[in-house]
Amino acid sequence: MDLAIPLLSILGAIVVGAASPGPSFVFVTRTAIALSRRDGLAAALGMGVGGVVYGGLGLFGLQAILAQVEWLYLTLKVLGGLYLLWLAVALWHTAAQPIAVPKTADGRPRSVRRSFTLAAVTQLSNPKAAVVYGSIFAAFLPPQVPGWTFAVLLPAIFTIEAGWYTIVALVFSADRPRAVYLRWKRWFDRAAGSVMGALGIRLILGAGRA
């Protein structure tokens, strides 16, 4: 019972963080609108998995390691920034192209596995999330916690992250948002690419200043 308030505080902070706009929100939104609801839901699951990875690393104290080994943290920031820049360039490159559902060699629609994988990588592209998760845990959890804390927190993190982005995917894969997107695809993709690129540059410049 003593851990009830700290756990609720942690989950509340994670809810706020998940709902904050960022590259994950942009990725799920565009995936749901441009591809399909299935792809958007797969991306939501990928975001949930990425959140669990960083949540688990935070519980295991990765934030302390990154704080001590500065070059590792800076390297991860640069790599994450380069990945976001790659996404930005890809969005700009295809902005003027019409939507085409990717096909496999036998003519069937491409598996949603790619949307899941790209979403998880997008979620993991910012190593700052590991520090954020670790800081939240350090702020609210006592030094000694029982083993069941992991069994409670990690599924809860997945539910929050995947649940929020599932809502995003369902909303933006509806007919009206899709129609608006198809009409303004070029500008929407370029705007999304600009956001991704700006976040990537911010990560890289932050590493450079450090």
Side-chain angles (χ1 to χ4, degrees), residues 139-163:
F140 292 108
L141 284 180
Q144 301 294 330
V145 295
W148 59 261
T149 306
F150 288 78
V152 171
L153 277 178
L154 295 183
I157 290 171
F158 176 83
T159 300
I160 291 170
E161 295 277 2

Side-chain angles (χ1 to χ4, degrees), residues 51-120:
V52 168
V53 170
Y54 271 144
L57 292 176
L59 283 172
F60 280 112
L62 178 66
Q63 84 285 356
I65 297 175
L66 293 178
Q68 295 297 321
V69 187
E70 185 177 7
W71 66 266
L72 176 60
Y73 179 50
L74 297 181
T75 299
L76 291 174
K77 288 186 72 172
V78 170
L79 292 176
L82 291 175
Y83 171 73
L84 292 179
L85 284 176
W86 174 78
L87 282 181
V89 171
L91 284 171
W92 270 82
H93 180 68
T94 61
Q97 298 177 9
I99 290 293
V101 179
K103 302 288 185 178
T104 58
D106 58 5
R108 294 178 300 175
R110 186 187 65 194
S111 169
V112 295
R113 184 183 305 169
R114 177 174 172 81
S115 296
F116 171 87
T117 302
L118 288 177

Side-chain angles (χ1 to χ4, degrees), residues 27 51 69 92 111 128 133 143 153 195 197 203 209:
F27 183 89
V69 187
W92 270 82
S111 169
K128 189 176 180 179
Y133 270 107
L153 277 178
V195 172
L203 274 177
R209 284 195 298 268

Side-chain angles (χ1 to χ4, degrees), residues 41-56:
L41 294 176
L45 293 178
M47 295 301 172
V49 170
V52 168
V53 170
Y54 271 144

